Amino acid sequence: MSDDGNAGRSEGWLKKRAYGRKLKALLADSPKCFVVGVDNVGSRQMQQIRQALRGKATVLMGKNTTIRKVFREFLAENPDHPMAELLPYVHGNIGFVFTDADLIQTRDTIVANRVPAPARVGAIAPVDVIVPPGPTGCDPGQTSWFQALQIATKINRGQIEIINPVHLVTKGEKVGNSEAALLQKLSINPFTYGLVVEAVYDNGNVFDPAVLDITEDDLITKLHVGISAVAALGLEIGYPTLASLPHSLSNAFKNLVAIALETEYTFEKAEAFKEYIANPGAFGGGGGGGGGGGGAAAAAAEPEKEEEEEESAGGAGGLFDDEEDDWKRLDPIPRLNDPVGGGGGGGGGDAGEAAKEEEKEEEAEESAGGAGGLFDDEEDDW
């Protein structure tokens, strides 16, 4: 028995020595490392994660006491090594993922492998658990069990149906016996488990894994905001900085140009501004005026065009309108009974008698009536 015991102790000692050499080599050679939590991760799931990271990273687990001992031996051999920043994270159920590949891609591979799991009694809920409304598949004889959990139900088609959503477990709380039994009865696996990245080591810097979600665009935006703040502060207090210097030079140039415009003093860069104020038409202002003249000519041409369209579309009414205008423009025609100036007396008397006879005839025709007389009178008047 003593021989077997010595053999067992020597084998365990050799395994620890081999583990220590492997961990020291990874600490010395790996520029990047993840500290991961492995709560509720089974051996089969761990094997799948190792296969996914094969050739990209090395997953190393172990007892915390052994890991701390190896860390202390490594730091004693390598004083002030930056890996000492990882020693405070060696507590709880943790492991290491050493890599020299891209941190974001490696992180995505680590967290991608997650397995749904049932809610066990006493487990800490990583998320809120809400049971949706709907049929449960339970017979009506189990109604009292739901009433004990204060869950509103009804009987529908021979089975119990939950009426409203039920907030069963709150994140961070322990899962009780009743909650675990209900979730098991409803065949609900509310939790998913996998490796959880707790810290990231990169060339001597240890930071939160959320930093990996920051993109280059976010960094550039933050940089612009910081430079703008520095420039504004420098301009306000009159302290020149690299950020505020371009703005100071621009403001000084504006002041010099303003002085040159108000006085006879000038310099090379201000000549263009003075020429523009003295002769704005030379910088494209005259072209606008020419365009305006063309617009006026076009506007004047539009009424003429409309008049031509009206004349061409006139018809019979337009013809009579033209004639009426022509008659109005003619001089009045002297009537037969009007005195004619400059003539002889005898001729005037004969004309007067003829006019009287003609008037008598017209009166006779008017007394006879009829539409034709009316038109005849008008024709004679003309």
Side-chain angles (χ1 to χ4, degrees):
M1 293 179 62
S2 61
D3 293 338
D4 293 339
N6 293 332
R9 283 195 296 271
S10 62
E11 184 178 355
W13 183 80
L14 291 175
K15 287 183 178 180
K16 289 182 179 180
R17 292 293 301 272
Y19 179 85
R21 287 193 297 268
K22 182 178 181 180
L23 180 54
K24 288 180 181 179
L26 291 172
L27 292 175
D29 300 336
S30 299
K32 305 172 186 178
C33 176
F34 294 92
V35 180
V36 295
V38 292
D39 290 335
N40 302 303
V41 179
S43 59
R44 183 176 180 181
Q45 185 179 0
M46 183 63 68
Q47 184 180 4
Q48 294 174 353
I49 295 173
R50 291 179 186 273
Q51 291 176 354
L53 294 173
R54 186 169 297 169
K56 303 177 183 178
T58 302
V59 181
L60 185 65
M61 311 299 295
K63 295 182 178 180
N64 290 344
T65 53
T66 304
I67 294 174
R68 292 192 190 97
K69 181 180 179 182
V70 174
F71 259 92
R72 293 190 185 98
E73 293 177 356
F74 176 79
L75 295 175
E77 298 171 2
N78 303 275
D80 300 329
H81 196 280
M83 278 292 184
E85 300 293 334
L86 295 178
L87 189 57
Y89 293 93
V90 183
H91 62 83
N93 196 7
I94 60 97
F96 296 98
V97 179
F98 297 94
T99 182
D100 56 359
D102 182 73
L103 287 174
I104 297 177
Q105 295 179 358
T106 306
R107 188 274 311 269
D108 294 341
T109 304
I110 291 172
V111 301
N113 193 312
R114 301 190 68 82
V115 176
R120 298 184 179 89
V121 178
I124 303 298
V127 294
D128 291 334
V129 179
I130 298 176
V131 179
T136 61
C138 300
D139 59 89
Q142 303 181 32
T143 304
S144 59
W145 190 74
F146 285 91
Q147 290 177 350
L149 295 175
Q150 299 180 353
I151 298 176
T153 60
K154 66 178 181 179
I155 306 301
N156 186 17
R157 297 182 180 180
Q159 62 177 337
I160 299 174
E161 181 176 336
I162 298 176
I163 300 176
N164 301 317
V166 180
H167 193 167
L168 195 63
V169 183
T170 304
K171 179 180 178 180
E173 295 182 353
K174 289 185 178 182
V175 180
N177 293 327
S178 301
E179 291 83 358
L182 176 61
L183 293 172
Q184 184 178 1
K185 186 180 292 294
L186 299 178
S187 301
I188 296 176
N189 294 328
F191 305 145
T192 58
Y193 295 116
L195 296 184
V196 178
V197 179
E198 297 182 355
V200 183
Y201 171 85
D202 184 14
N203 294 314
N205 299 315
V206 179
F207 50 86
D208 191 89
V211 176
L212 297 178
D213 296 328
I214 300 176
T215 63
E216 292 185 2
D217 294 337
D218 296 332
L219 293 176
I220 293 174
T221 301
K222 293 290 186 181
L223 180 62
H224 287 173
V225 172
I227 292 175
S228 300
V230 172
L233 180 62
L235 292 174
E236 183 66 22
I237 64 177
Y239 184 80
T241 62
L242 291 177
S244 64
L245 186 59
H247 302 281
S248 300
L249 294 176
S250 177
N251 294 336
F253 176 74
K254 292 177 183 178
N255 293 334
L256 292 175
V257 171
I259 294 173
L261 294 177
E262 294 295 331
T263 63
E264 297 181 356
Y265 175 79
T266 185
F267 55 96
E268 181 180 357
K269 296 297 184 180
E271 290 294 335
F273 297 94
K274 284 198 168 187
E275 291 179 3
Y276 181 81
I277 293 177
N279 188 13
F283 291 84
E302 288 181 358
E304 296 179 359
K305 185 177 180 181
E306 292 178 358
E307 291 177 2
E308 293 176 358
E309 290 177 354
E310 291 176 358
E311 292 177 0
S312 62
L319 177 62
F320 292 129
D321 292 341
D322 293 342
E323 289 181 355
E324 183 178 358
D325 294 340
D326 294 339
W327 282 111
K328 291 179 180 179
R329 287 192 294 270
L330 292 175
D331 295 334
I333 301 175
R335 301 180 66 87
L336 295 176
N337 57 354
D338 290 342
V340 180
D350 294 337
E353 292 177 357
K356 290 179 180 180
E357 292 177 0
E358 187 175 354
E359 288 179 359
K360 289 180 180 181
E361 291 176 358
E362 289 175 359
E363 290 176 359
E365 290 176 357
E366 288 177 1
S367 63
L374 175 63
F375 292 113
D376 293 339
D377 293 342
E378 293 178 356
E379 184 177 357
D380 293 339
D381 293 337
W382 282 109

